Amino acid sequence: MAARLQSLGATGARFLSDQAPLLALLGIVIGLTIATPSFLSARNLVVVGTEASVLLVAAVGQTFVILLGSIDLSTEGVMATSSMVVALLVANDRTHLSLGAAGILLTVAVGGGFGLVNGTVHAVGRIPSFMVTLGTWYVGIGIATVLFAGQTPVIQSALTTGLAQTRVLGVPPLVFIAAVSAAIGIVLLNWTRFGRYILTIGGNEQLAQLAGVPVTRYKILAFSLAGAMNALAGILATAEIGNGSVTVGTGMVFATIASVVVGGTPLTGGRGGIWNTVIGVLILTSIADGMILAGTGPQIQQSVQGAVVVIAVAASSWALRKRLRVVK
Amino acid sequence: MSETVLAVERLTKHFVETVALDEVTLALRAHEVLGLVGENGSGKSTLLKILGGVVRPDSGRILVRGQAVQFSGVADAIASGIGMVYQEQSLVPNITVAENILLGQEGSAVRWGWYNWKQLRQQASIALHQLGLDIDPMARTESLSFAERQMVEIAKVLFLENRRHVAPIILLDEPTSVLESKEIDTLFGQIRRLREVGSVVFVSHRLGEVLDVSDRIYVLRNGRCVGEREAKQSRHDDLYEMMIGRSPGQSYYHEESRLPFDEGRPVLSLDGLSARKRYSDVSFEIHAGEVLALTGLIGSGCESVCRTIFGAEPFERGLMRLEGVKISPGSPADAVAMGIGYVPAERRIEGVVGGMNVAANMILADPGVAARRGLLDFRRWRTLVAGWIERLRIKPASPRADVTALSGGNQQKVVLAKWLLRSNLKVLLLDHPARGLDVGAKTEVYALIRRLAQQGLAVLLLADSIDEAIGLSHSVVVMRDGLVSGRFSASPGRKPLEAEIIKCMT
């Protein structure tokens, strides 16, 4: 009986630690509902949903990269370039192009190209992903600035701005795009060789290689996917403001990594997944939104978000703490 | 007599200065469990590695089903139907058992990149059922016990072999060394099942086990095959004599250079040391010049005790004394300052800093020895390092060599030199110091350990095998489930038997 209780206790403890991000999200939602009655209002939920969508799209890509044990810091650069590229390819007041949906797809492909470069340089050149993507972040910002050329392109394509500025079933279409992205991410991770091999590589890259897994190919694929998702996030953010902008992705490197980690996917890779990231994104977005509703200043908001990340990571790795554990 | 599936003819393998295998010839028949016994360093692991495609022989032939083969890698061996189950585990922890079994060989279970989990599960189940295993193929691998994971490794090898549609040849390298007696029974059940479908080579240095499970036994000694026996017609003692031969294991451990220690001078003493959930009430003394072997199964707590002495894990109750003074090292840096040195098991990870040269690695524990007024004195550093390179016969004898370019044995000497450079060193903790070294290197490391003890150090040894513990130490302390379960004096002439120690371990 005692043993059974003990094993029940252990199962309970594991359940708690596995579901900690979800429970934290519930706690935050309940807390915010009580503190600011307008939090659960339909209008505010649309705001939270829109904010969360752009972040979620980029964070899904980031999740695949982090599951490998790598990292993608190029998010803001790719978003900046894709913002300018999409604004110049669809109907706008600077170029005579009006490619519409094709322009959007081309922009996603440009993002995929960024990821392809990231992945290839990292996996083939065996250069840490941290350094490669730190570089392409600034390359992306540079390209965007060149394309910007001192003149903001205003988008005149209703299809593009409509992604954020129309309503389908009461919410902007980008919410559905984000939801579908997450769903596709979950399917990829659990039912395809791509996803399972990413987890395997994240679990033990050397063993994967010895078993004949083409590690380099799957790493490049993961980075390419992340690049394409970053471009899509850039397009959605651009649709929201209606013009191409170099700063459209500002803060997204922090936000995507924070969402992935707060959701329970460690930077060491191999564990966690897309569902965790969905919860991480909702946690971060609700806290930010709750603080806006409560009238907190923007500087404090950043500090609180930063603190949330540190606390979440400390809490999740507390059990692993040992004197000789090397943490870098 | 049934057909020969695997034949080895005059196989020879030299390592730098030693002969690991000397013209070994043997044959494995269909549906046979072949036992391979020998002391540490007798060459049985080398032989297995050659058969598994890990190591290439210098000369000799391998014939698989009558065809001469040359393996340039593990994949070649697998293609010929030879699968090896390693001592170390090689499963990816965070994916399912089924994925691990089929990893890289999913075949029809993955079509167009899509996982067919049902097929994946079925195919894994077939391999698991062949071994009569009741393991859920969809379980996360890390949720399995150590013994279960080992069974999965066997299932994985079996699966690969099934794909080739030939009767598998399965090599098991010391599979019992980390198992408990009940798990060993299960494993033997598996081995008997494997015999139904193929052939098995079973390597162990525990004679009893080999006699139990094998049909036929080869005895290796000093790289030579010294005997072949039908298991039914051989007795434990005969095999033991054949294994040890005329040159006793003592010379391997340099028993002749062992000196009695000074019983009046305890250097390190533990008194009722306890740490929650890891060990409790552990007491022993190590004297100047004494080598004390602390041994036990995984989870027995002996590694934990060792790490506590080095300040890497805290303890809650009890006393630790160094030369009579109460100590409680709060970190490895503390322990080092007190005169405790630690040679870790994971040499490559914990012992040496790769990318740094030999000279830099040597003064890592105490750069002060090569410094004058707080700055490194290059001339003093150079003479110091050159002296130790010569004394320990480190090869290549260059202080500038990158330490990762050295062989395992030489790396271990650099690690030892690092501690010997410290003038205040009193206690040296050796965590599996000879793990993964070849025979020659082992002999040298053992000789070095002897010399250290002679110089008055107190040495705590976590040995790789019971054999090593008995051969190298003055006294043996055995732990089981966090408690000290046995103490033996290992003086020459009245060494404890391996069986006595195993009894205390399990």
Side-chain angles (χ1 to χ4, degrees):
Chain A
M1 187 65 200
R4 239 182 101 186
L5 267 179
Q6 203 176 10
S7 96
L8 214 66
T11 318
R14 172 167 307 168
F15 176 80
L16 276 183
S17 78
D18 281 355
Q19 303 301 329
L22 183 60
L23 296 174
L25 176 62
L26 286 177
I28 289 164
V29 168
I30 292 168
L32 285 175
T33 310
I34 295 167
T36 56
S38 55
F39 180 76
L40 271 192
S41 70
R43 231 184 102 205
N44 189 54
L45 285 184
V46 169
V47 172
V48 174
T50 312
E51 279 296 305
S53 297
V54 176
L55 176 55
L56 181 58
V57 169
V60 165
Q62 184 74 269
T63 308
F64 280 99
V65 172
I66 290 183
L67 281 172
L68 279 174
S70 305
I71 199 147
D72 184 0
L73 300 180
S74 69
T75 313
E76 293 178 19
V78 176
M79 284 180 75
T81 299
S82 63
S83 176
M84 294 311 300
V85 169
V86 77
L88 295 173
L89 288 181
V90 300
N92 67 92
D93 65 352
R94 259 185 56 192
T95 63
H96 299 295
L97 294 170
S98 177
L99 298 182
I104 293 176
L105 289 179
L106 268 174
T107 310
V108 171
V110 167
F114 259 94
L116 186 70
V117 171
N118 282 339
T120 309
V121 176
H122 162 56
V124 178
R126 307 204 174 255
I127 294 164
S129 55
F130 185 95
M131 282 321 298
V132 177
T133 56
L134 189 68
T136 45
W137 172 359
Y138 270 50
V139 170
I141 298 280
I143 292 174
T145 312
V146 169
L147 292 175
F148 174 66
Q151 203 188 343
T152 305
V154 176
I155 295 172
Q156 290 157 346
S157 150
L159 173 78
T160 311
T161 53
L163 292 174
Q165 297 173 8
T166 55
R167 293 288 180 274
V168 177
L169 301 175
V171 294
L174 60 80
V175 174
F176 295 108
I177 294 178
V180 170
S181 302
I184 291 176
I186 289 173
V187 171
L188 276 178
L189 197 59
N190 292 305
W191 280 279
T192 68
R193 193 200 299 263
F194 168 72
R196 300 311 296 177
Y197 274 5
I198 293 223
L199 275 173
T200 307
I201 294 167
N204 191 327
E205 186 173 334
Q206 210 178 357
L207 289 179
Q209 199 141 32
L210 286 177
V213 173
V215 171
T216 308
R217 184 195 308 165
Y218 284 96
K219 280 185 164 180
I220 294 174
L221 277 173
F223 274 92
S224 305
L225 177 70
M229 298 302 277
N230 287 337
L232 183 57
I235 294 165
L236 298 181
T238 307
E240 260 186 279
I241 54 175
N243 57 267
S245 160
V246 178
T247 57
V248 78
T250 304
M252 287 294 280
V253 169
F254 170 83
T256 53
I257 297 172
S259 311
V260 172
V261 172
V262 167
T265 303
L267 288 177
T268 42
R271 266 146 244 281
I274 304 297
W275 181 240
N276 296 70
T277 300
V278 172
I279 291 168
V281 164
L282 291 176
I283 288 178
L284 250 71
T285 320
S286 340
I287 290 177
D289 179 71
M291 283 189 296
I292 293 170
L293 290 181
T296 322
Q299 293 81 2
I300 298 295
Q301 288 175 29
Q302 277 199 342
S303 306
V304 170
Q305 290 199 336
V308 166
V309 175
V310 175
I311 292 168
V313 173
S316 66
S317 57
W318 197 249
L320 300 172
R321 186 177 41 100
K322 266 190 207 156
R323 281 188 196 168
L324 277 191
R325 181 166 181 251
V326 176
V327 176
K328 283 183 176 168
Chain B
M1 186 177 290
S2 57
E3 54 159 340
T4 297
V5 290
L6 174 71
V8 165
E9 290 175 2
R10 304 174 62 125
L11 210 59
T12 300
K13 175 77 191 174
H14 294 261
F15 286 110
V16 186
E17 278 166 18
T18 49
V19 184
L21 282 182
D22 191 4
E23 304 219 327
V24 168
T25 296
L26 49 81
L28 171 68
R29 296 169 196 151
H31 304 294
E32 177 182 54
V33 177
L34 187 68
L36 218 52
V37 297
E39 279 192 295
N40 268 346
S42 61
K44 54 193 195 314
S45 285
T46 310
L47 176 58
L48 221 56
K49 280 183 185 151
I50 291 174
L51 294 178
V54 184
V55 170
R56 272 185 242 189
D58 296 338
S59 62
R61 288 210 305 167
I62 303 172
L63 296 141
V64 179
R65 295 176 199 89
Q67 300 269 314
V69 289
Q70 267 187 331
F71 300 147
S72 58
V74 181
D76 287 355
I78 289 176
S80 303
I82 301 177
M84 179 146 161
V85 179
Y86 298 93
Q87 253 173 299
E88 312 94 53
Q89 302 229 323
S90 60
L91 298 176
V92 181
N94 61 328
I95 56 177
T96 62
V97 169
E99 282 176 281
N100 259 309
I101 292 176
L102 275 77
L103 188 60
Q105 309 281 333
E106 293 88 354
S108 60
V110 180
R111 189 155 290 176
W112 300 108
W114 285 88
Y115 263 54
N116 183 342
W117 282 105
K118 205 174 139 199
Q119 254 211 54
L120 208 71
R121 188 173 60 220
Q122 277 172 356
Q123 297 202 12
S125 295
I126 294 171
L128 290 167
H129 280 150
Q130 257 181 315
L131 292 168
L133 292 174
D134 184 28
I135 293 173
D136 177 10
M138 301 310 279
R140 252 187 189 233
T141 310
E142 63 200 340
S143 69
L144 268 49
S145 74
F146 191 90
E148 282 173 326
R149 290 204 296 266
Q150 195 176 35
M151 306 296 167
V152 172
E153 299 234 25
I154 299 177
K156 180 180 170 136
V157 168
L158 200 59
F159 171 83
L160 290 177
E161 301 306 302
N162 284 346
R163 274 276 160 93
R164 313 275 161 201
H165 302 291
V166 291
I169 298 167
I170 293 184
L171 315 176
L172 299 170
D173 187 12
E174 301 263 0
T176 55
S177 56
V178 287
L179 298 186
E180 310 201 347
S181 58
K182 199 181 138 232
E183 296 163 349
I184 291 176
D185 289 343
T186 321
L187 176 72
F188 284 3
Q190 316 297 357
I191 292 177
R192 288 185 190 108
R193 275 166 191 268
L194 284 175
R195 179 169 50 188
E196 304 299 312
V197 291
S199 316
V200 179
V201 179
F202 176 86
V203 167
S204 177
H205 62 266
R206 297 187 193 160
L207 272 179
E209 288 175 358
V210 178
L211 275 168
D212 219 20
V213 78
S214 310
D215 300 313
R216 210 154 48 92
I217 297 170
Y218 281 104
V219 183
L220 291 182
R221 187 176 74 223
N222 297 331
R224 281 166 198 249
C225 192
V226 291
E228 180 208 339
R229 293 283 184 279
E230 292 292 325
K232 283 195 195 99
Q233 292 147 20
S234 39
R235 289 187 316 123
H236 186 284
D237 293 353
D238 297 341
L239 287 175
Y240 192 79
E241 231 178 272
M242 243 194 281
M243 229 168 91
I244 303 297
R246 248 173 259 129
S247 78
Q250 277 145 9
S251 82
Y252 183 51
Y253 295 112
H254 302 273
E255 198 62 41
E256 68 286 350
S257 64
R258 203 192 81 139
L259 297 179
F261 59 89
D262 185 351
E263 291 197 35
R265 271 183 63 203
V267 177
L268 179 75
S269 62
L270 308 189
D271 191 1
L273 211 64
S274 305
R276 205 161 54 91
K277 282 189 181 167
R278 299 199 302 271
Y279 54 84
S280 66
D281 204 19
V282 175
S283 307
F284 57 77
E285 284 186 339
I286 314 179
H287 304 80
E290 180 181 5
V291 179
L292 182 137
L294 188 60
T295 174
L297 298 172
I298 285 178
S300 64
C302 50
E303 315 222 337
S304 218
V305 169
C306 184
R307 294 176 99 84
T308 303
I309 299 171
F310 193 53
E313 281 183 19
F315 64 95
E316 275 125 33
R317 275 177 291 113
L319 278 179
M320 189 168 9
R321 285 197 196 86
L322 186 63
E323 295 188 319
V325 183
K326 206 178 120 185
I327 57 164
S328 169
S331 70
D334 264 10
V336 171
M338 290 167 188
I340 299 173
Y342 177 59
V343 176
E346 299 289 330
R347 188 167 51 245
R348 278 170 208 286
I349 302 167
E350 300 173 332
V352 295
V353 180
M356 270 167 63
N357 63 29
V358 169
N361 264 292
M362 267 196 202
I363 62 160
L364 209 54
D366 183 10
V369 294
R372 202 186 299 252
R373 286 191 290 276
L375 292 174
L376 275 178
D377 176 340
F378 286 92
R379 189 181 302 162
R380 178 183 287 193
W381 185 8
R382 225 174 1 246
T383 34
L384 200 67
V385 170
W388 280 104
I389 286 179
E390 200 190 308
R391 243 175 294 175
L392 301 185
R393 287 194 286 272
I394 294 173
K395 279 172 210 154
S398 155
R400 295 230 176 89
D402 182 342
V403 75
T404 44
L406 269 57
S407 70
N410 283 302
Q411 282 185 7
Q412 197 66 311
K413 288 190 216 164
V414 173
V415 178
L416 285 166
K418 175 173 82 183
W419 295 113
L420 302 179
L421 274 166
R422 293 187 57 90
S423 45
N424 76 337
L425 188 71
K426 294 165 193 143
V427 178
L428 194 57
L429 312 174
L430 303 173
D431 187 353
H432 303 98
R435 178 174 286 178
L437 299 183
D438 68 59
V439 196
K442 271 188 183 172
T443 323
E444 281 199 69
V445 167
Y446 291 146
L448 198 53
I449 294 172
R450 288 268 175 240
R451 288 216 331 254
L452 295 176
Q454 283 167 18
Q455 285 160 18
L457 277 181
V459 179
L460 178 71
L461 170 76
L462 294 182
D464 256 337
S465 62
I466 298 169
D467 203 31
E468 185 181 287
I470 300 171
L472 204 57
S473 68
H474 294 82
S475 17
V476 181
V477 171
V478 188
M479 287 183 68
R480 179 178 57 212
D481 299 333
L483 296 168
V484 172
S485 56
R487 290 168 200 276
F488 301 91
S489 163
S491 330
R494 49 188 186 91
K495 292 254 173 200
L497 289 177
E498 205 166 303
E500 292 180 75
I501 289 177
I502 292 175
K503 204 184 274 173
C504 292
M505 283 168 74
T506 53

Short mmCIF file of all heavy atoms in Angstrom, two decimals, chain B residues 206 209 466 478 480 488 497-506:
data_model
loop_
_atom_site.label_atom_id
_atom_site.label_comp_id
_atom_site.label_asym_id
_atom_site.label_seq_id
_atom_site.Cartn_x
_atom_site.Cartn_y
_atom_site.Cartn_z
N ARG B 206 33.67 -14.01 -15.73
CA ARG B 206 33.13 -14.81 -14.63
C ARG B 206 32.90 -16.23 -15.14
O ARG B 206 31.98 -16.50 -15.91
CB ARG B 206 31.80 -14.22 -14.17
CG ARG B 206 31.95 -12.83 -13.63
CD ARG B 206 30.65 -12.38 -13.04
NE ARG B 206 30.66 -10.95 -12.78
CZ ARG B 206 29.56 -10.23 -12.63
NH1 ARG B 206 28.37 -10.81 -12.72
NH2 ARG B 206 29.64 -8.95 -12.39
N GLU B 209 29.37 -18.15 -14.83
CA GLU B 209 28.36 -17.77 -15.81
C GLU B 209 28.62 -18.43 -17.15
O GLU B 209 27.70 -18.91 -17.81
CB GLU B 209 28.40 -16.26 -16.03
CG GLU B 209 27.87 -15.49 -14.87
CD GLU B 209 28.04 -14.00 -15.08
OE1 GLU B 209 28.61 -13.62 -16.12
OE2 GLU B 209 27.61 -13.25 -14.21
N ILE B 466 36.29 -6.80 -10.48
CA ILE B 466 36.64 -7.33 -9.17
C ILE B 466 38.08 -7.80 -9.20
O ILE B 466 38.85 -7.62 -8.25
CB ILE B 466 35.70 -8.49 -8.81
CG1 ILE B 466 34.27 -7.94 -8.76
CG2 ILE B 466 36.07 -9.11 -7.49
CD1 ILE B 466 33.23 -8.99 -8.67
N VAL B 478 33.47 -3.43 0.12
CA VAL B 478 32.37 -3.69 -0.82
C VAL B 478 31.13 -2.96 -0.33
O VAL B 478 30.83 -2.96 0.87
CB VAL B 478 32.06 -5.20 -0.93
CG1 VAL B 478 31.06 -5.45 -2.05
CG2 VAL B 478 33.34 -5.97 -1.17
N ARG B 480 26.84 -2.26 -0.92
CA ARG B 480 25.60 -2.73 -1.55
C ARG B 480 24.47 -1.84 -1.05
O ARG B 480 24.35 -1.61 0.16
CB ARG B 480 25.33 -4.18 -1.17
CG ARG B 480 24.03 -4.72 -1.79
CD ARG B 480 23.79 -6.17 -1.45
NE ARG B 480 23.75 -6.36 -0.01
CZ ARG B 480 24.16 -7.46 0.61
NH1 ARG B 480 24.67 -8.45 -0.08
NH2 ARG B 480 24.10 -7.56 1.92
N PHE B 488 37.59 -6.73 3.10
CA PHE B 488 38.57 -7.80 2.92
C PHE B 488 39.96 -7.20 2.93
O PHE B 488 40.18 -6.10 2.42
CB PHE B 488 38.36 -8.50 1.57
CG PHE B 488 37.00 -9.09 1.41
CD1 PHE B 488 35.97 -8.35 0.85
CD2 PHE B 488 36.75 -10.39 1.83
CE1 PHE B 488 34.71 -8.90 0.71
CE2 PHE B 488 35.49 -10.94 1.69
CZ PHE B 488 34.46 -10.20 1.12
N LEU B 497 38.55 -14.36 -2.57
CA LEU B 497 38.12 -14.91 -3.85
C LEU B 497 37.10 -13.98 -4.48
O LEU B 497 36.37 -13.29 -3.79
CB LEU B 497 37.49 -16.28 -3.65
CG LEU B 497 38.45 -17.41 -3.27
CD1 LEU B 497 37.66 -18.69 -3.03
CD2 LEU B 497 39.47 -17.61 -4.38
N GLU B 498 37.09 -14.01 -5.79
CA GLU B 498 36.11 -13.18 -6.50
C GLU B 498 34.69 -13.48 -6.02
O GLU B 498 33.88 -12.59 -5.82
CB GLU B 498 36.24 -13.46 -8.00
CG GLU B 498 35.77 -12.32 -8.85
CD GLU B 498 36.23 -12.48 -10.29
OE1 GLU B 498 37.45 -12.58 -10.54
OE2 GLU B 498 35.36 -12.50 -11.15
N ALA B 499 34.43 -14.78 -5.83
CA ALA B 499 33.09 -15.20 -5.42
C ALA B 499 32.68 -14.59 -4.08
O ALA B 499 31.53 -14.21 -3.88
CB ALA B 499 33.03 -16.72 -5.35
N GLU B 500 33.64 -14.48 -3.17
CA GLU B 500 33.32 -13.90 -1.85
C GLU B 500 32.85 -12.46 -2.00
O GLU B 500 31.94 -12.01 -1.32
CB GLU B 500 34.57 -13.91 -0.96
CG GLU B 500 35.05 -15.28 -0.54
CD GLU B 500 36.30 -15.14 0.33
OE1 GLU B 500 36.14 -14.76 1.50
OE2 GLU B 500 37.41 -15.39 -0.18
N ILE B 501 33.55 -11.75 -2.90
CA ILE B 501 33.22 -10.34 -3.08
C ILE B 501 31.89 -10.18 -3.79
O ILE B 501 31.05 -9.37 -3.40
CB ILE B 501 34.36 -9.63 -3.85
CG1 ILE B 501 35.56 -9.53 -2.90
CG2 ILE B 501 33.94 -8.26 -4.33
CD1 ILE B 501 36.79 -8.93 -3.51
N ILE B 502 31.65 -11.03 -4.80
CA ILE B 502 30.37 -10.95 -5.51
C ILE B 502 29.23 -11.20 -4.55
O ILE B 502 28.19 -10.55 -4.61
CB ILE B 502 30.35 -11.96 -6.68
CG1 ILE B 502 31.34 -11.52 -7.75
CG2 ILE B 502 28.95 -12.06 -7.28
CD1 ILE B 502 31.50 -12.48 -8.89
N LYS B 503 29.44 -12.14 -3.62
CA LYS B 503 28.40 -12.45 -2.65
C LYS B 503 28.01 -11.19 -1.85
O LYS B 503 26.84 -10.98 -1.54
CB LYS B 503 28.89 -13.55 -1.71
CG LYS B 503 27.76 -14.35 -1.08
CD LYS B 503 28.28 -15.37 -0.09
CE LYS B 503 28.67 -16.69 -0.73
NZ LYS B 503 29.32 -17.57 0.26
N CYS B 504 28.99 -10.38 -1.53
CA CYS B 504 28.71 -9.15 -0.78
C CYS B 504 28.06 -8.08 -1.67
O CYS B 504 27.37 -7.19 -1.18
CB CYS B 504 29.99 -8.56 -0.21
SG CYS B 504 30.72 -9.54 1.07
N MET B 505 28.33 -8.18 -2.98
CA MET B 505 27.82 -7.13 -3.87
C MET B 505 26.35 -7.29 -4.18
O MET B 505 25.64 -6.32 -4.38
CB MET B 505 28.62 -7.15 -5.19
CG MET B 505 29.98 -6.51 -5.07
SD MET B 505 31.02 -6.85 -6.49
CE MET B 505 30.31 -5.80 -7.72
N THR B 506 25.88 -8.56 -4.25
CA THR B 506 24.50 -8.77 -4.68
C THR B 506 23.63 -9.33 -3.57
O THR B 506 24.11 -9.84 -2.59
CB THR B 506 24.45 -9.76 -5.87
OG1 THR B 506 25.16 -10.94 -5.50
CG2 THR B 506 25.11 -9.15 -7.09
#
